Amino acid sequence: MTETEKEIESTCPECDGTGQDRAMHPVRLGEKNEFRPCAKCGGSGKIKEAAN
């Protein structure tokens, strides 16, 4: 018998679920803010982990 693994989707701990890179700086008036996705979740804000 093979046991099927289930995946749990949880909030990414690297970006706290925002999907943005933490290195983003505050934007000053007139500056354009560039979206940089989180390296761990790829910008989704969620990560999939195998349930035990």
Side-chain angles (χ1 to χ4, degrees):
M1 266 195 239
T2 59
E3 192 176 321
T4 57
E5 285 188 29
K6 294 181 182 180
E7 287 187 341
I8 302 172
E9 200 171 73
S10 59
T11 304
C12 177
E14 282 295 312
C15 65
D16 296 323
T18 63
Q20 295 184 10
D21 185 7
R22 278 191 188 212
M24 291 185 76
H25 302 288
V27 180
R28 285 184 237 140
L29 192 60
E31 285 186 354
K32 191 174 181 181
N33 192 6
E34 185 180 318
F35 177 80
R36 286 188 285 172
C38 172
K40 186 163 184 154
C41 66
S44 68
K46 303 266 183 200
I47 55 169
K48 290 183 181 178
E49 297 175 319
N52 294 334

